[in-house]
Amino acid sequence: MRLDKFLCTTLGITRKEAGKLLKSKEIEVNGEVVKNGALKVTDTCEVEFNGRTLQLTGPRYFMLNKPQGFVCSHVDDFNPTVFILIDEVSPEKLHVAGRLDGDTTGLVLLTDDGQWSHRITSPRHECEKVYYVELADPLPPETVQTFAEGVQLRGEKELTRPAKLEILDEREALITITEGKYHQVKRMFAAVGNKVVGLHREQVGSIELDDTLEPGEYRPLTDEEIAAFMK
């Protein structure tokens, strides 16, 4: 994380105010006065303001607009990971609450709070996820009822849980599911003879992707968004 952003987070100040503190030589990193806000702060750095050590405390929660081609793991031999987009101290301690495939875009939630993310990913909590889908072939109207009744996926013993399908155009739809089976949305449409050519997650529970975030951008969750999974 950049030093100026670290100061904004720990002191609750603006980037402009952080710049003034740095210019006034009131910030020390590892015992030396630092004026460069672009300095990278890691978890091994000791940052002080007027002799007071500053630390990030408490669990962290973020939303990311995931671009295509990024994977939701910390290490991948072939693809960039979403964690290189996160400019925070110790990003390796964060994890994704509900992964997306590499070619799927949209809302990704990241946290270091395991109990919070469990409420999203555990099938027992039936957390709804909403996806915008682009398809290769036109969607027959009866697909709505088929998905509502559950779909038999290849290699699965049981039907999927009921899913809500809203047809937007002949090749576009919104689908809401409460499970997270491997490639589930793609496999559901494949089971009815269609192919997903574009997939974008718009919502998880009551948390909607912030439409001001460009692909690759992220922001902290609001207190209200965090509280949605605290119950």
Side-chain angles (χ1 to χ4, degrees):
M1 178 189 285
R2 287 172 55 106
L3 176 57
D4 51 7
K5 186 173 182 180
F6 178 88
L7 295 174
C8 293
T9 303
T10 54
L11 295 174
I13 59 178
T14 65
R15 186 67 67 92
K16 184 177 181 179
E17 290 170 334
K20 289 181 178 179
L21 282 183
L22 291 164
K23 289 180 180 179
S24 66
K25 300 181 180 181
E26 296 181 82
I27 304 299
E28 293 186 3
V29 179
N30 296 332
E32 296 185 5
V33 173
V34 176
K35 297 191 293 181
N36 181 11
L39 177 74
K40 290 292 183 179
V41 176
T42 69
D43 56 354
T44 60
C45 294
E46 183 174 293
V47 182
E48 293 186 352
F49 167 52
N50 283 339
R52 175 166 65 94
T53 300
L54 303 179
Q55 292 181 323
L56 293 173
T57 59
R60 299 174 290 170
Y61 310 88
F62 304 99
M63 74 159 62
L64 166 74
N65 186 357
K66 178 187 167 307
Q68 192 170 33
F70 284 73
V71 296
C72 290
S73 58
H74 278 283
V75 179
D76 190 278
D77 292 333
F78 304 102
N79 302 289
T81 85
V82 296
F83 294 96
I84 68 173
L85 302 171
I86 308 300
D87 180 25
E88 301 292 332
V89 172
S90 303
E92 72 279 358
K93 295 181 180 179
L94 296 168
H95 62 269
V96 172
R99 295 186 175 191
L100 291 180
D101 302 334
D103 59 354
T104 301
T105 61
L107 177 59
V108 166
L109 300 176
L110 304 104
T111 184
D112 49 13
D113 184 342
Q115 290 186 338
W116 188 84
S117 63
H118 179 73
R119 297 185 182 98
I120 297 171
T121 58
S122 172
R124 180 169 64 88
H125 293 286
E126 299 187 356
C127 175
E128 292 187 341
K129 294 95 176 176
V130 181
Y131 296 82
Y132 167 75
V133 189
E134 296 178 351
L135 298 151
D137 301 312
L139 268 172
E142 56 267 25
T143 311
V144 174
Q145 184 61 31
T146 301
F147 279 18
E149 294 173 352
V151 178
Q152 183 65 59
L153 300 181
R154 185 176 180 180
E156 301 281 349
K157 293 182 179 180
E158 299 180 355
L159 299 179
T160 61
R161 289 179 178 171
K164 178 183 176 182
L165 182 66
E166 179 185 352
I167 298 177
L168 304 175
D169 202 347
E170 63 174 11
R171 290 182 173 85
E172 298 176 32
L174 291 177
I175 182 172
T176 303
I177 62 175
T178 58
E179 299 174 283
K181 295 181 183 293
Y182 180 70
H183 289 175
Q184 181 170 339
V185 174
K186 296 175 183 177
R187 292 167 67 200
M188 288 179 71
F189 283 100
V192 295
N194 214 323
K195 181 180 180 180
V196 172
V197 295
L199 190 59
H200 180 83
R201 186 157 67 191
E202 296 189 344
Q203 187 171 339
V204 175
S206 62
I207 300 178
E208 298 181 21
L209 179 62
D210 189 331
D211 60 10
T212 67
L213 293 177
E214 295 293 331
E217 292 184 340
Y218 75 100
R219 68 160 173 81
L221 294 186
T222 65
D223 290 342
E224 184 179 1
E225 289 167 337
I226 296 168
F229 294 108
M230 288 295 192
K231 300 176 182 178

